[in-house]
Amino acid sequence: MSDCIFCKIVEGSIPSTKVFENDHVLAFRDIVPAAPVHILVIPKRHIPTMNDVAPEDAALLAEVLLTAQKIAKEEGIAESGYRLINNCNSDGGQTAYHLHFHLLGGRPLGALLEGHSS
Ligand code: AMP
Ligand code: ZN
């Protein structure tokens, strides 16, 4: 998609610090890291949001998640722990409309959901 920042990163017309790449999946460091490890794992194919994932994308989605798992091990945060986040649409806080998962770790991330009712 021509005006999508992450498609441009996939194409290489916008630079990124790549952590992993194969034919289907790309992982790169977030430009505004919220934790010592903050990596975005994306499918190379343009899928705007989690709502747009179709049943036939199941293998691709699994590959994205397994890539995050592998990177967590390589970054040394698998045992200490990490958070894998997908933000969907505006209430979810999505700002880049190309499906991505944030891999966050390297510090205690707090209890995001504990005690919240609204
Ligand atoms: P979200 O708010 O879930 O859509 O996350 C988008 C993320 O993309 C944010 O954490 C941004 O810091 C990150 N981001 C935006 N532009 C770039 C870029 N050029 N390189 C790396 N990360 C980026
Ligand atoms: Zn895109």
Side-chain angles (χ1 to χ4, degrees):
M1 219 196 153
S2 59
D3 61 348
C4 170
I5 192 165
F6 288 177
C7 282
K8 287 180 178 160
I9 286 175
V10 169
E11 291 160 9
S13 58
I14 290 181
S16 69
T17 306
K18 291 180 187 174
V19 174
F20 174 85
E21 180 170 23
N22 70 13
D23 286 348
H24 311 120
V25 177
L26 177 66
F28 53 96
R29 296 196 188 275
D30 197 292
I31 204 166
V32 187
V37 175
H38 189 171
I39 291 165
L40 302 174
V41 189
I42 72 170
K44 285 190 168 178
R45 179 156 58 81
H46 183 82
I47 299 173
T49 80
M50 193 61 209
N51 290 337
D52 301 300
V53 175
E56 49 271 30
D57 299 324
L60 177 60
L61 195 58
E63 196 174 348
V64 169
L65 295 178
L66 288 169
T67 298
Q69 180 208 58
K70 181 175 96 72
I71 293 170
K73 285 181 196 150
E74 290 169 357
E75 293 284 320
I77 59 170
E79 297 311 317
S80 53
Y82 56 88
R83 192 168 285 161
L84 198 55
I85 297 175
N86 169 253
N87 296 326
C88 182
N89 280 340
S90 57
D91 278 3
Q94 185 171 8
T95 59
Y97 280 79
H98 179 129
L99 184 68
H100 57 281
F101 291 84
H102 297 254
L103 173 64
L104 292 154
R107 68 168 174 84
L109 294 163
L112 186 64
L113 301 176
E114 203 172 282
H116 285 258
S117 58
S118 58

